[in-house]
Amino acid sequence: MERAAQGADGGGGSNSSSRSSSRATSAGSSPSCSLAGRGVSSRSAVAGLGGGGSRSSPGSVAASPSGGGGRRREPALEGVLSKYTNLLQGWQNRYFVLDFEAGILQYFVNEQSKHQKPRGALSLSGAIVSLSDEAPHMLVVYSANGEMYKLRAADAKEKQFWVTQLRACAKYHMETSSKMMNQVEGQQKNLVHAIESLPGSGPLTALDQDLLLLKATSAATLSCLGECLHLLQQSVQQVGQPSHKPGASENILGWHGPKSHSTEQLKNGTLGSLPSASANITWAILPNSAAEEQSLPPEPEPNSGPELVLSEDEKSDTEDKEETELGVMEDQRSIILHLISQLKLGMDLTKVVLPTFILEKRSLLEMYADFMAHPDLLLAITAGATPEERVICFVEYYLTAFHEGRKGALAKKPYNPIIGETFHCSWEVPKDRVKPKRTAPHSPAGHEHPMAEDPSKSYKLRFVAEQVSHHPPISCFYCECKEKRLCVNTHVWTKSKFMGMSVGVSMIGEGVLRLLEHGEEYVFTLPSAYARSILTIPWVELGGKVSISCAKTGYSATVIFHTKPFYGGKVHRVTAEVKHNPTNTIVCKAHGEWNGTLEFTYNSGETRIIDTTTLPVYPKKIRPLEKQGPMESRNLWQEVTRYLRLGNIDAATEQKRRLEEKQRVEERKRENLHTPWQPKYFIQEGDGWVYFNPLWKAH
């Protein structure tokens, strides 16, 4: 983990497995550590450490970031420590120099080379310094950029002395960063005030394109820097110092983000100086049902019972779902810039609105159905001969589901479903296609659309989704295959927040896959989604840790969707690990891209590659619009969809506004009558929601 520093350490110096002692560099200084005074004499430096004995006290002056008089120049701490290089070369003596003022720990081959270019350097701002029992008198320095130094001192007292000084340096520079952030915040507020104070007309106004861009990017940059500082503070306080718990005097200064009147206006749903075009905008980046005012169609029937959906009425879906790239025009860009410039990091987006032109031409409820585009893999789970095979099959299905459901990486968002909205569909899967992925024949490349010629030779998988709640916005979906005795019940609450130049959406809730033939229940969670680069061309990535577990069999899986690092790194990475908990045995590992190639390695040593882009896609079967009820997604949103296809954003926005106005009227009506909303297909049980007639209750 020492990266280039380790590589540079490959030659020169003396190998040593023994502990090494730091050496003095000036008369009167400690034999274990040197304080070469930069502006402070060696004798006074040592005196400040508690005397001129043979060993320095850990209570160094460097532990205090503030001194009397003007700006203080801290002395450097110097001395020899053993540094772990790699498995081949082991521990090597190196000469270390701690520059307290710069906040940098450097090392050299020996003391004589300390005036040359250092072999390696570590920034200590935000660093974690911890003790380790891996080797005698060992300490570890974790830099905020991910680098790590494993070091050993000559004895316990010298080790503690270095730890004290390194921690003091890291704390001092973290506090300095916090103070700088507060200064920058004040400057940014002055900038915003100066821009907003400009006249509404004339050669230079508050809505000038360049000024809007400056205001938006300065706010986003400040927010991102604040988030980075907050993460560093969290890591220092919570992660790596089990033997060093900060006391009251050691609390690290915090930065709580910019506070401006414009942020408060957004929280209260008022946008003051928005341009006139804002009358036609609505929040639209990623699923967040509460972010749009939800709507009701004419003459809703909140207490009507479940409707019978006839499968003979369903036809294969041929609707083109491909989304065109977002080409933001100048008038649209000014709206986005103005809004982003007023958002605060971590802000709840419930009452914040963005343009309709970012909308995707499908409901969020239909998007959940599109995650089922590989139903053969889902049904194949029941064909697993052992609990181990079945849990691995489920993980294989889970990792391949998101590619087709997202319709690519473009960050348009589905319609936020209104309360009472439903979506119905089904799939027919040829029986000869339902085999565990490890034993199934290799699928031909390309997105083929498998169809069963004879319905008796296929399995039927039915799907229903419903928006059951407005506050919080909760969507439920249920699918079942009676022949395979398999069903999935899921409830999801979408919650979004502003993250600088990104928008994050948490998918709160869980699903349960039931295999009735085996008496197994697999509980799973969902990853978060992020829209990145919202000022230019937004793109989507998934992130976070999700879990899959089966209490009966003792198998569980951890799946991590990795977000792209700030510098370098790949996008859309995912890793997974399947474990048998009673024996603590890892039975399968997987890595790759959730929208690309995935490699599975099993405990037998066998490996398998799955390319999500070439998996066969099974088209949904859905009833035509004329046979759908008024609350069904495609019928409900058909006018908005039609105008979006035509590129008529104003007309699409107007149709959406009408739905929202009907929603407001009906919601007020229910409030006045104290009548709660009654979903059609789902019943609340505890904190979750369950389908009214699930397969496990019918059998």
Side-chain angles (χ1 to χ4, degrees):
M1 295 186 62
E2 297 178 33
R3 297 182 185 172
Q6 287 184 346
D9 225 16
S14 60
N15 277 343
S16 173
S17 59
S18 61
R19 300 188 304 274
S20 59
S21 175
S22 304
R23 292 171 296 166
T25 59
S26 59
S29 59
S30 165
S32 62
C33 295
S34 166
L35 292 173
R38 296 198 311 272
V40 180
S41 71
S42 299
R43 186 173 301 278
S44 62
V46 174
L49 290 173
S54 63
R55 188 171 299 277
S56 302
S57 165
S60 167
V61 292
S64 173
S66 59
R71 182 181 178 186
R72 178 176 178 181
R73 295 183 61 82
E74 297 295 340
L77 177 63
E78 302 181 7
V80 176
L81 294 171
S82 287
K83 176 180 175 293
Y84 184 80
T85 302
N86 52 44
L87 190 61
L88 182 64
Q89 295 176 314
W91 294 90
Q92 295 180 311
N93 285 352
R94 291 291 178 259
Y95 195 80
F96 281 82
V97 175
L98 169 61
D99 188 331
F100 197 98
E101 186 175 342
I104 296 175
L105 177 65
Q106 301 175 327
Y107 75 89
F108 306 84
V109 173
N110 49 44
E111 183 180 3
Q112 289 70 34
S113 63
K114 71 176 185 178
H115 299 295
Q116 301 173 6
K117 183 178 178 180
R119 279 298 184 97
L122 208 61
S123 173
L124 294 177
S125 179
I128 297 169
V129 183
S130 63
L131 303 178
S132 174
D133 56 7
E134 184 179 333
H137 313 307
M138 179 175 166
L139 61 138
V140 185
V141 184
Y142 300 90
S143 174
N145 67 2
E147 287 190 75
M148 176 183 70
Y149 284 1
K150 292 183 177 181
L151 307 174
R152 290 170 64 184
D155 52 40
K157 194 168 185 179
E158 182 178 333
K159 175 192 70 174
Q160 189 57 52
F161 181 71
W162 275 95
V163 168
T164 301
Q165 302 307 307
L166 291 169
R167 284 176 176 170
C169 183
K171 177 176 180 289
Y172 171 63
H173 284 278
M174 179 66 77
E175 291 174 342
T176 302
S177 298
S178 298
K179 293 173 185 176
M180 290 178 62
M181 280 298 304
N182 288 324
Q183 293 175 1
V184 173
E185 177 196 344
Q187 294 171 353
Q188 196 269 341
K189 288 171 68 175
N190 292 338
L191 171 66
V192 171
H193 177 73
I195 294 174
E196 293 180 348
S197 299
L198 290 171
S201 59
L204 188 63
T205 71
L207 298 181
D208 179 82
Q209 288 284 304
D210 291 335
L211 292 181
L212 284 173
L213 180 61
L214 176 61
K215 190 166 72 166
T217 53
S218 65
T221 301
L222 182 65
S223 295
C224 290
L225 288 174
E227 176 74 1
C228 292
L229 179 61
H230 177 66
L231 292 174
L232 288 175
Q233 291 169 341
Q234 281 186 325
S235 68
V236 170
Q237 289 177 316
Q238 300 173 8
V239 180
Q241 301 185 23
S243 63
H244 177 76
K245 301 193 179 299
S249 63
E250 293 181 297
N251 288 336
I252 296 174
L253 293 180
W255 182 79
H256 304 288
K259 305 173 185 64
S260 65
H261 67 278
S262 54
T263 297
E264 294 305 315
Q265 289 174 348
L266 279 175
K267 280 188 176 179
N268 297 326
T270 59
L271 296 177
S273 59
L274 271 175
S276 58
S278 66
N280 294 328
I281 61 180
T282 187
W283 174 250
I285 285 290
L286 285 170
N288 178 26
S289 301
E292 295 179 8
E293 285 294 336
Q294 298 182 345
S295 56
L296 286 175
E299 302 177 6
E301 301 175 0
N303 295 313
S304 59
E307 299 173 0
L308 178 64
V309 177
L310 300 175
S311 59
E312 54 264 31
D313 292 337
E314 293 178 332
K315 308 294 180 185
S316 291
D317 184 24
T318 57
E319 196 168 288
D320 181 19
K321 293 295 193 313
E322 289 302 316
E323 294 292 334
T324 56
E325 224 176 63
L326 288 173
V328 182
M329 294 184 283
E330 287 306 311
D331 57 338
Q332 298 168 345
R333 185 183 298 277
S334 66
I335 297 171
I336 297 177
L337 287 171
H338 189 87
L339 287 170
I340 292 178
S341 70
Q342 300 182 71
L343 298 179
K344 179 183 176 182
L345 190 74
M347 184 175 178
D348 182 7
L349 299 177
T350 299
K351 293 186 178 181
V352 181
V353 290
L354 280 182
T356 304
F357 60 78
I358 306 178
L359 284 175
E360 188 179 322
K361 298 183 286 291
R362 61 172 174 171
S363 171
L364 175 61
L365 299 184
E366 184 170 355
M367 188 191 81
Y368 290 137
D370 288 334
F371 285 130
M372 315 291 293
H374 307 306
D376 54 330
L377 298 184
L378 176 63
L379 298 182
I381 298 171
T382 62
T386 64
E388 179 180 319
E389 285 190 25
R390 291 191 289 275
V391 69
I392 291 175
C393 284
F394 184 31
V395 172
E396 289 174 344
Y397 163 74
Y398 187 95
L399 292 178
T400 58
F402 295 96
H403 168 63
E404 192 63 25
R406 271 308 322 160
K407 296 294 181 187
L410 188 64
K412 287 190 174 182
K413 70 163 287 295
Y415 308 135
N416 290 322
I418 64 172
I419 193 167
E421 179 183 337
T422 61
F423 182 81
H424 302 264
C425 68
S426 67
W427 294 266
E428 288 184 355
V429 185
K431 292 183 177 180
D432 61 358
R433 296 250 179 186
V434 179
K435 300 176 183 177
K437 194 66 187 172
R438 291 172 71 178
T439 59
H442 179 69
S443 299
H447 268 51
E448 57 175 319
H449 293 169
M451 301 293 292
E453 297 178 1
D454 183 356
S456 66
K457 295 181 180 179
S458 65
Y459 296 115
K460 188 84 166 182
L461 185 66
R462 300 180 184 276
F463 178 95
V464 59
E466 181 178 11
Q467 189 72 10
V468 299
S469 173
H470 183 187
H471 297 298
I474 299 176
S475 306
C476 297
F477 65 86
Y478 172 84
C479 67
E480 68 174 27
C481 178
K482 291 183 178 179
E483 297 154 293
K484 298 293 285 183
R485 301 189 65 202
L486 169 151
C487 61
V488 179
N489 191 102
T490 305
H491 64 275
V492 183
W493 166 24
T494 54
K495 186 176 182 180
S496 64
K497 66 178 181 179
F498 178 63
M499 302 171 63
M501 283 300 183
S502 302
V503 172
V505 177
S506 299
M507 310 290 273
I508 304 168
E510 66 179 23
V512 180
L513 166 69
R514 287 179 170 86
L515 307 180
L516 302 184
E517 180 181 344
H518 304 286
E520 296 170 356
E521 296 183 2
Y522 297 84
V523 181
F524 61 92
T525 56
L526 296 169
S528 297
Y530 301 90
R532 307 297 193 189
S533 305
I534 58 178
L535 194 60
T536 53
I537 297 179
W539 56 281
V540 167
E541 70 172 340
L542 303 179
K545 179 187 291 187
V546 303
S547 62
I548 299 170
S549 62
C550 179
K552 178 182 178 181
T553 65
Y555 283 96
S556 67
T558 300
V559 180
I560 301 177
F561 292 85
H562 301 267
T563 55
K564 184 181 182 299
F566 197 74
Y567 291 109
K570 294 183 178 180
V571 296
H572 310 311
R573 286 183 57 241
V574 63
T575 56
E577 187 175 273
V578 184
K579 179 186 287 189
H580 184 239
N581 295 301
T583 60
N584 200 33
T585 303
I586 297 173
V587 299
C588 177
K589 287 187 176 183
H591 70 275
E593 292 82 42
W594 58 265
N595 60 353
T597 301
L598 296 162
E599 180 177 344
F600 294 82
T601 303
Y602 310 101
N603 60 352
S604 63
E606 175 192 2
T607 61
R608 184 176 183 87
I609 304 294
I610 299 178
D611 186 349
T612 63
T613 64
T614 62
L615 289 175
V617 175
Y618 291 73
K620 302 186 296 285
K621 299 194 73 174
I622 189 170
R623 289 171 298 155
L625 288 177
E626 59 270 16
K627 293 192 177 183
Q628 292 185 20
M631 294 294 290
E632 293 191 55
S633 298
R634 288 198 182 177
N635 195 8
L636 181 67
W637 295 97
Q638 64 172 312
E639 289 302 306
V640 179
T641 300
R642 183 168 72 89
Y643 284 117
L644 283 176
R645 282 207 177 96
L646 294 172
N648 191 336
I649 303 301
D650 291 339
T653 302
E654 174 60 21
Q655 291 297 322
K656 190 168 182 299
R657 186 197 64 78
R658 292 181 182 179
L659 290 175
E660 292 165 351
E661 182 57 31
K662 291 170 186 172
Q663 159 71 357
R664 283 187 283 268
V665 170
E666 293 300 327
E667 192 170 18
R668 284 194 294 268
K669 215 182 276 186
R670 290 197 303 275
E671 288 176 355
N672 292 335
L673 296 174
H674 303 286
T675 304
W677 177 261
Q678 296 294 328
K680 281 186 178 181
Y681 298 99
F682 291 86
I683 302 167
Q684 188 168 13
E685 292 188 1
D687 294 332
W689 292 79
V690 177
Y691 185 61
F692 81 104
N693 186 30
L695 197 59
W696 70 87
K697 291 184 179 180
H699 289 69

